[in-house]
Amino acid sequence: MAAKCIAFLCVVAVAAALPVVPVAKVAYAEPEAPAHYEFQYSVHDTHTGDVKEQHEARAGDAVQGSYSLVQPDGVHRIVDYSADHEHGFNAVVRYEGHPVAAPAPVAKVAYAAPVAKVAYAAPVAKVAYAHAPVYAHAPVSYAHAPVSYAHAPVSYAHAPVAYATAPINQVSFSSPAISYHH
């Protein structure tokens, strides 16, 4: 470990003994001239309805400009702005025109299979029984009378099952911005 320390100190001593020679010339920064520019653009897309424009001019630290656009409700918004060291950023907003109701969005109707309304009645069994007449004071006889059993006819009537398609009588459309229910 001692050998490493001695080697490091020798390297430091040699580096300190070398004369200081500048490697590069020192470059002094020139002060930059104030910025001067002007630009503008304009968009008028009839397919999407996008209408906007902007123009701006800068002379040193003072900036002046304006931009305008047609809002979704049809109102033309115009913003004139300026910015400098003395007054900061200032904007004047103007509106031209009157709001026009946006056309109602076309609701996409999702089709669902019709719900079948099923009317079902359980079969009704009509059973007829024949009762022997009962007399209050009939003479009592102990002779066995012949007994006959007749089965009563049983009829089953099936109720008709009606399948009806429900007409679409309600349309709804909903989005985060607009809701429509008719």
Side-chain angles (χ1 to χ4, degrees):
M1 180 72 178
K4 290 182 183 178
C5 290
I6 293 174
F8 177 71
L9 292 176
C10 290
V11 170
V12 170
V14 170
L18 293 175
V20 177
V21 179
V23 178
K25 289 186 178 182
V26 176
Y28 296 101
E30 299 272 336
E32 292 184 13
H36 291 283
Y37 66 83
E38 284 189 35
F39 80 92
Q40 67 180 11
Y41 73 91
S42 177
V43 174
H44 187 86
D45 188 356
T46 57
H47 180 68
T48 63
D50 190 15
V51 178
K52 59 188 170 187
E53 63 182 59
Q54 180 180 4
H55 58 87
E56 182 174 291
R58 180 174 179 177
D61 290 331
V63 177
Q64 289 185 344
S66 71
Y67 67 90
S68 67
L69 59 106
V70 176
Q71 299 180 152
D73 63 357
V75 175
H76 190 200
R77 178 176 28 170
I78 302 167
V79 179
D80 297 314
Y81 61 91
S82 64
D84 57 16
H85 270 302
E86 188 175 331
H87 302 305
F89 180 80
N90 295 304
V92 177
V93 181
R94 296 180 288 144
Y95 295 97
E96 294 179 357
H98 298 288
V100 177
V106 177
K108 293 183 180 177
V109 178
Y111 177 76
V115 176
K117 292 184 180 179
V118 178
Y120 176 74
V124 177
K126 293 184 180 180
V127 179
Y129 294 102
H131 294 286
V134 176
Y135 299 103
H137 297 287
V140 177
S141 66
Y142 292 102
H144 294 286
V147 177
S148 66
Y149 295 99
H151 294 286
V154 177
S155 65
Y156 295 98
H158 294 284
V161 178
Y163 295 98
T165 58
I168 297 177
N169 58 3
Q170 178 174 310
V171 177
S172 292
F173 173 78
S174 180
S175 74
I178 230 169
S179 182
Y180 174 76
H181 181 77
H182 180 67

